[in-house]
């Protein structure tokens, strides 16, 4: 699929892969029957703003640590921030944690706007958009802290272990925690009939298992 360059912020390029549009279309389709087309279409700005802000959190921390600008790609099930760096474990830990922190920050800032900007209450679009943006960023931040790869929570966990363990052992512990916690979340979501989240987590568990198989066969810890 093709890609569209959206612009550059402080040297960090932002690119939208057309697969990201499929993600938006899926969320709109998933919600159109229950909330109507107008409310369902709100998922487009919510996803775009939330995921871009999240990735900018990673890119900002990378820049603050002196590793220069990055490349953000909005694609597939979310987004990725690319930067060729040789970071120490504590630096990678901060970079991983910056994503969820930015989601919480966006939720908090949105709440401040709702509470303190009078104009918001008179704009039908903002009345519908901003509470949804705040709510889902709180949830997205919490979800991202789960220690399941490739979520940031697993990156935080792995880089924490790297502070005092060698790379191979840190990877082994974190990848098995990813698979076990992922399996538990998958079972819970099935019981709770949260089918979409169950499918998503199953994909994550499969990805972690493939990383483990790559590590065993080629002694590589590629993400």
């Amino acid at each position: 699929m093709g890609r569209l360059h959206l612009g550059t912020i402080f040297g960090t390029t932002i690119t939208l892969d057309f697969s990201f549009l499929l993600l938006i279309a899926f969320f709109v389709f998933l919600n159109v029957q229950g909330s109507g087309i107008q409310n369902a279409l709100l998922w487009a700005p919510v996803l775009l703003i939330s995921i871009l802000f999240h990735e900018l959190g990673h890119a900002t921390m990378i820049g603050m640590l002196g590793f220069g600008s990055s490349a953000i790609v909005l694609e597939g099930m979310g987004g990725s921030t690319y930067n060729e760096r040789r970071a120490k474990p504590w630096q990678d830990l901060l970079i991983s944690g910056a994503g969820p922190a930015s989601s919480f920050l966006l939720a908090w800032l949105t709440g401040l706007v709702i509470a303190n900007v009078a104009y918001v209450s008179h704009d039908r679009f903002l009345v519908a958009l901003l509470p949804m943006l705040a709510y889902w960023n709180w949830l997205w931040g919490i979800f991202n802290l789960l220690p399941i790869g490739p979520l940031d929570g697993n990156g935080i966990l792995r880089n924490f272990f790297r502070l005092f363990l060698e790379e191979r052992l840190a990877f082994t512990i974190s990848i098995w925690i990813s698979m076990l916690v992922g399996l538990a979340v998958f079972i819970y979501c099935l019981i709770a009939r949260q089918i979409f989240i169950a499918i998503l987590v199953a994909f994550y568990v499969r990805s972690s298992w493939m990383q483990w198989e790559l590590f065993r066969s080629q002694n590589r810890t590629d993400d």
Side-chain angles (χ1 to χ4, degrees):
M1 301 187 74
R3 291 187 170 185
L4 176 65
H5 177 66
L6 298 182
T8 302
I9 299 178
F10 298 114
T12 291
T13 60
I14 302 170
T15 303
L16 187 146
D17 187 277
F18 289 150
S19 62
F20 189 78
L21 300 180
L22 296 178
L23 174 68
I24 292 175
F26 174 78
F27 271 85
V28 171
F29 176 79
L30 196 66
N31 291 274
V32 68
Q33 185 173 1
S35 58
I37 186 63
Q38 288 186 330
N39 288 327
L41 286 172
L42 289 173
W43 277 103
V46 166
L47 287 170
L48 180 61
I49 295 169
S50 301
I51 294 175
L52 178 57
F53 201 87
H54 179 99
E55 297 304 326
L56 283 171
H58 291 305
T60 300
M61 182 58 69
I62 289 170
M64 289 174 62
L65 292 172
F67 296 110
S69 57
S70 303
I72 293 174
V73 180
L74 305 177
E75 59 186 341
M77 295 303 297
S80 301
T81 300
Y82 299 96
N83 178 275
E84 295 295 331
R85 64 183 186 273
R86 287 183 170 273
K88 297 177 181 179
W90 69 268
Q91 293 171 320
D92 275 331
L93 192 156
L94 291 177
I95 292 168
S96 294
S102 67
S103 296
F104 293 136
L105 175 61
L106 179 57
W108 179 70
L109 290 175
T110 304
L112 283 182
V113 171
I114 294 171
N116 295 285
V117 179
Y119 174 77
V120 170
S121 62
H122 303 292
D123 187 295
R124 292 179 59 188
F125 174 70
L126 294 179
V127 166
L129 174 68
L130 295 186
M132 183 176 174
L133 186 65
Y135 176 77
W136 286 106
N137 270 278
W138 283 118
L139 287 186
W140 174 236
I142 294 170
F143 181 73
N144 230 275
L145 286 174
L146 291 174
I148 307 170
L151 298 176
D152 292 319
N154 191 255
I156 293 170
L157 183 68
R158 177 178 171 182
N159 288 304
F160 172 75
F161 287 139
R162 288 177 62 214
L163 292 173
F164 51 87
L165 298 175
E166 58 97 13
E167 176 66 36
R168 289 165 53 89
L169 184 56
F171 171 80
T172 299
I173 295 173
S174 64
I175 205 70
W176 273 100
I177 289 176
S178 174
M179 290 187 285
L180 293 174
V181 173
L183 182 60
V185 173
F186 171 74
I187 294 172
Y188 172 81
C189 288
L190 285 182
I191 294 173
R193 298 184 179 180
Q194 298 292 329
I195 303 303
F196 172 72
I197 300 178
I199 294 173
L200 182 62
V201 172
F203 174 80
Y204 289 162
V205 172
R206 178 179 179 273
S207 177
S208 293
W209 177 255
M210 291 176 65
Q211 287 187 54
W212 172 245
E213 287 293 292
L214 181 67
F215 172 74
R216 289 205 308 167
S217 62
Q218 301 182 27
N219 196 30
R220 291 167 51 190
T221 61
D222 300 24
D223 294 327

